[in-house]
Amino acid sequence: MTGETGSWITNNGDRITLSMDFLDKLNPQQRKAVTAGAGPILVLAGPGSGKTRVLTQRVAYLIAHEGVRPYQMLAVTFTNKAAREMSNRVRDILGEMPSEGIWLGTFHSICARLLRRESENLPFNDRFVIYDDDDQQRVVKGAIRDLNLDEKTYRPQAVHAAISRAKNELIFPDDYPTQTYRDEVVKRVYQRYQEMLKQNNAVDFDDLLLWTAHLLSEFPAVRDKYAQRFQHVLVDEFQDTNFAQYVLLKHLAAVHNNIFVVGDPDQSVYRWRGADYRNVQRFEQDFPDAKVILLEQNYRSKQTILDAAMAVIDRNPHRRRKSLFTERGAGEKLFYYEALDDYSEAAFVVDTIASLVASRTCEPGDCAVMYRTNAQSRLLEEAFLQARLPYRLVGAQRFYGRREVKDIIAYLRLVHNPADEISLDRVINLPPRGIGDKTILSLHNAASGANTSLSVVLMDLGRGDASTFWQQFSGRAALPLADFGGLLSDWSAEARTATVTELFDRITKDINYQAYIDDGTDEGAERWGNVQELRRLTTEYENRSLTDFLETVALISDQDTLAEGKNAPTLLTLHAAKGLEFGTVFIIGLDDGILPHSRSFDEPEAMEEERRLFYVGLTRAKDRLYLLRALRRGGRGYAEETIPSRYLDDIPPELLAGKARGGRAARSQTPTWLRPDAAPATETEVRFRAGMRVQHPTWGEGIVLNSRLQDNDETVDVVFESVGIKRLAASLAKLTILN
């Protein structure tokens, strides 16, 4: 491919030529995928194999070499962050060649865009709002109350989960299967839930897929329009698609049959939210002439980490095996450690990170601690706080889930879509303006009697005693309603011409929100700071609509909100770790019942996914990997004995360093972690190496974590069972090497 060029004829008749030298940086399998011809293509990409590069350069290749116009391509990612990165990379490769017009985004954002364009065929208009998880729960609770059902018997969260599963299987309320009385109840709640969404001109996340699939299935003209337009459909993280998404892709690729999917069934870990790794098998069945390309060269991890990961995942049946390899070298062995209890496990993590940072082995932000469930973060957070070390927590309360942020978004949603009663209910008396429950009930009665929405009544009341509804309210109730209705009318009028930032400023000023939220405490200042951060985001929409802004904040994901630039260790679940990478990774809680989780014991398919989850965690590590468990868990007052995770036995002993407290054989030595700016030490200069068992005359037996030359002496970090981690000068410590 060296020396080849691609060309583009502009609308003015000018020819733009682009060198295809960017293909020279690809390995043979990557180049094969990027330059593959027409037709269905399945790329099975191992972790760290450069699949984003392949997708990006495939897009650039189709534009520059094959002459495909950007607007003729649909590229689907799973996070907004990934979509932005892909767009920027394509633009960098193409230079002067135009790249604008690609439909590039997440499934949900692309479906929202399509639904707004085709809303005349739908039971809602193009100003629909997208309800988040909290909003959805409130609607479900309202539906359960409307049907006079007991929330304790029919828990809203469980009922909503059943509704979500039905939508992901493209099942509408009338077709919901009923085999038990509970199914009948869920069906009724589902019907009422959809009615309430319609009344509010709203959809939930699952509706974005459900209604798009409905459009493409039931309206052939709509399907043909988009299937004709998208000559090429490209999909990232294909193993995480659910049934509805798979159906959508088949519809959109139905005309040209050019569908390019990249994924790895070994990294499919979202079954609980509908993802189905078997879509890879369906793809091969539905497209029997598909080209299958394996990406096996890993650019992220050392070979020892890859060998351990393959040893774990190879135990899963019904999968296409890959042989992962890297040119980064063997690297250090995995450090295995059994702590006395879960407190000691957390302390070991924090002390080790502190040691690595102090020795300049790595930066704090290059470390990550991963666990199976969010609850496991508590002891870690306590340990970090006790050590006065900063950390960042992924999957905790999201920025967009904070009260003050949701308040302002609710105001903006209400202005955008006055039919949104969920948002109205949140803000009608916030800040308090004398509108109580009885007044709100009267408002509902007035709206119901006139067969109109609450906002219509409110804005009409804004006209004062000229309102047709004025006499239906007492003066005490009418005045605050009229004041709020007048504000809502003014905001709606301003929204037609104002930028998102101008509207934001007008609303927060009119309701005096700063005085309400900032009570003079540090917490109040932080809350107002969050409001200002939301305002900063609105400035990025100077030339875009309020619809675009609200859609973005509704579809944001945890990974999209991961703070950039904060140099602190990251704490996150194994599920949240998907797609990320870190120089040093700690995986804690490697006990049977935690990983694999006890809920999965009786279900073979769930156990396979637990193994895939561990595999994902292993392959996030670039240079160093720590595997930890605790002999006892449950607190210092009462703790239960634990059993090591069965996955630990799948890792060959020769790949591990360290030892088990319970008597498992000590593992062999690993190379020393030297400071990046230090000259390599010779064998005669360094006596102690990571993984060595040593004896101290006072503190007893310990394990060497790290050793380096410092001030003409050898400084050794050792973790002792009796006192934890100690930093020692080898010339003074009187350490005896036991192995």
Side-chain angles (χ1 to χ4, degrees), residues 433 435 458 461-462 470 478-490:
R433 50 177 62 93
I435 301 176
L458 276 170
L461 285 171
W470 189 263
L479 288 174
L481 289 175
D483 288 343
F484 185 66
L487 287 174
L488 187 55
S489 294
D490 291 344

Side-chain angles (χ1 to χ4, degrees), residues 70-305:
Y71 64 83
Q72 295 173 321
M73 280 190 283
L74 170 68
V76 186
T77 65
F78 265 78
T79 66
N80 294 297
K81 181 180 178 181
R84 288 193 300 271
E85 289 176 354
M86 184 180 295
S87 179
N88 292 336
R89 291 187 189 184
V90 170
R91 195 178 300 115
D92 290 343
I93 293 172
L94 293 179
E96 294 182 11
M97 280 192 176
S99 61
E100 300 300 322
I102 301 173
W103 275 45
L104 173 59
T106 65
F107 271 103
H108 292 91
S109 65
I110 287 170
C111 286
R113 182 177 178 182
L114 194 151
L115 292 176
R116 293 192 196 281
R117 290 188 169 204
E118 307 297 335
S119 60
E120 67 271 13
N121 298 310
L122 298 165
F124 43 83
N125 66 45
D126 62 355
R127 298 179 70 82
F128 65 82
V129 293
I130 303 168
Y131 280 172
D132 64 15
D133 292 336
D134 290 342
D135 299 325
Q136 293 167 37
Q137 290 294 326
R138 294 174 72 180
V139 177
V140 169
K141 288 180 180 179
I144 290 173
R145 285 195 300 270
D146 287 353
L147 296 172
N148 295 317
L149 297 169
D150 182 7
E151 282 191 25
K152 293 181 179 179
T153 304
Y154 302 101
R155 293 187 302 110
Q157 190 170 2
V159 173
H160 181 261
I163 292 172
S164 178
R165 285 193 297 271
K167 290 185 177 183
N168 284 330
E169 293 294 322
L170 302 181
I171 299 172
F172 279 90
D174 291 345
D175 300 319
Y176 189 86
T178 54
Q179 297 180 337
T180 66
Y181 177 70
R182 184 177 185 84
D183 293 339
E184 291 281 356
V185 171
V186 171
K187 180 175 183 175
R188 288 162 53 203
V189 175
Y190 185 6
Q191 290 170 328
R192 179 58 186 146
Y193 176 78
Q194 292 300 100
E195 289 171 1
M196 295 172 72
L197 290 178
K198 180 180 177 181
Q199 291 168 6
N200 287 271
N201 194 37
V203 298
D204 63 21
F205 296 137
D206 299 316
D207 278 331
L208 295 172
L209 304 177
L210 178 71
W211 285 111
T212 305
H214 171 77
L215 267 178
L216 300 179
S217 298
E218 301 300 321
F219 296 87
V222 175
R223 179 182 62 243
D224 292 346
K225 177 170 69 173
Y226 290 98
Q228 287 282 1
R229 171 177 179 159
F230 297 131
Q231 293 186 14
H232 288 268
V233 176
L234 304 96
V235 188
D236 193 10
E237 303 288 4
F238 182 65
Q239 77 283 345
D240 290 332
T241 54
N242 59 31
F243 178 73
Q245 290 163 337
Y246 183 74
V247 169
L248 289 175
L249 293 172
K250 284 188 65 178
H251 280 312
L252 294 172
V255 173
H256 300 287
N257 212 35
N258 294 326
I259 180 168
F260 183 96
V261 302
V262 182
D264 183 2
D266 290 335
Q267 296 185 74
S268 180
V269 294
Y270 297 125
R271 191 171 73 109
W272 51 276
R273 67 184 189 197
D276 190 349
Y277 73 98
R278 290 171 298 188
N279 281 346
V280 174
Q281 299 170 7
R282 292 190 180 105
F283 184 90
E284 293 188 84
Q285 293 168 359
D286 293 339
F287 300 96
D289 57 338
K291 299 175 185 175
V292 180
I293 302 169
L294 299 182
L295 300 185
E296 298 174 300
Q297 182 171 352
N298 181 284
Y299 292 89
R300 175 188 300 152
S301 306
K302 299 288 188 178
Q303 190 64 50
T304 299
I305 294 172

